[in-house]
Amino acid sequence: MILFNRDILIKQLVKHEGVVLNVYQDSLGIDTIGIGRNLTRGLSEFELQVLDKTLDEIYEEGITEKDAYFLLGIDIDTVTNELFKVKPTARRLDAIRQSVLMDMAFNMGVPRLCGFKKMWVALERRDFDLAATEMLDSRWAEQVKQRAIDLAYSMRHGTYLN
């Protein structure tokens, strides 16, 4: 069952990603806008229609905060569908740990998150200490630093770190 609180996840993603209304390059050099929206995949015709801009205009002019939250909503829906389809284990976790996985999937993509094989084995066994340790023992943790520490804390303890 999907239990995570969408409003809490949004606040968590805003904290970790920030809200940037002009195109910028993230720490990996990927063109990004809004609340962590990777622009290398482009935007759908529907998204461009709602934003009432072309991709070129977005690169030139940026977007509004309302647009950023609109794109975030679509991204959350996409990641939710993908993650819970390929990793049924996530459905059996509590809301906070689901939110941790959603944050990680949002940041690195579901395929990379699926590569955390030892973490997933630990989650199957409900060994949250080991799952948190495996999260921190990764190149991802080196890249995102405090985000990984915060998320590992939540995975380990089942509570949010304020």
Side-chain angles (χ1 to χ4, degrees):
M1 182 175 353
I2 299 174
L3 301 171
F4 73 87
N5 181 307
R6 188 179 182 96
D7 292 335
I8 292 173
L9 177 62
I10 288 170
K11 288 178 186 168
Q12 187 173 300
L13 290 171
V14 167
K15 173 186 172 188
H16 292 146
E17 297 284 342
V19 181
V20 183
L21 304 180
N22 293 303
V23 177
Y24 67 97
Q25 290 192 330
D26 71 5
S27 62
L28 299 177
I30 296 169
D31 285 353
T32 307
I33 198 164
I35 305 164
R37 170 52 83 97
N38 176 336
L39 287 176
T40 59
R41 348 171 257 213
L43 294 165
S44 71
E45 288 301 317
F46 171 70
E47 291 167 336
L48 291 170
Q49 185 177 12
V50 170
L51 300 179
D52 195 28
K53 292 185 178 197
T54 66
L55 192 54
D56 286 341
E57 289 172 328
I58 290 169
Y59 268 86
E60 292 169 16
E61 304 166 12
I63 60 175
T64 66
E65 189 169 336
K66 180 180 175 187
D67 295 341
Y69 279 91
F70 163 73
L71 293 173
L72 177 61
I74 290 173
D75 290 343
I76 289 171
D77 292 343
T78 300
V79 170
T80 300
N81 292 333
E82 189 177 349
L83 177 62
F84 288 91
K85 180 179 179 184
V86 300
K87 285 295 183 184
T89 299
R91 291 182 178 275
R92 296 188 292 273
L93 300 175
D94 60 80
I96 292 172
R97 291 178 173 109
Q98 285 182 356
S99 186
V100 167
L101 294 175
M102 285 292 298
D103 191 310
M104 292 176 73
F106 185 90
N107 179 242
M108 73 177 81
V110 172
R112 268 189 70 205
L113 180 60
C114 289
F116 281 60
K117 297 197 183 312
K118 292 178 183 177
M119 180 194 75
W120 286 106
V121 169
L123 289 174
E124 281 285 339
R125 293 187 301 207
R126 302 188 65 76
D127 185 343
F128 302 121
D129 283 335
L130 180 57
T133 298
E134 293 300 334
M135 289 167 60
L136 293 172
D137 185 24
S138 67
R139 188 172 61 135
W140 166 78
E142 292 171 15
Q143 292 169 341
V144 300
K145 298 175 181 43
Q146 190 61 48
R147 181 182 199 159
I149 293 167
D150 292 352
L151 293 175
Y153 177 92
S154 293
M155 179 63 75
R156 189 178 311 277
H157 299 286
T159 59
Y160 293 109
L161 185 63
N162 293 332

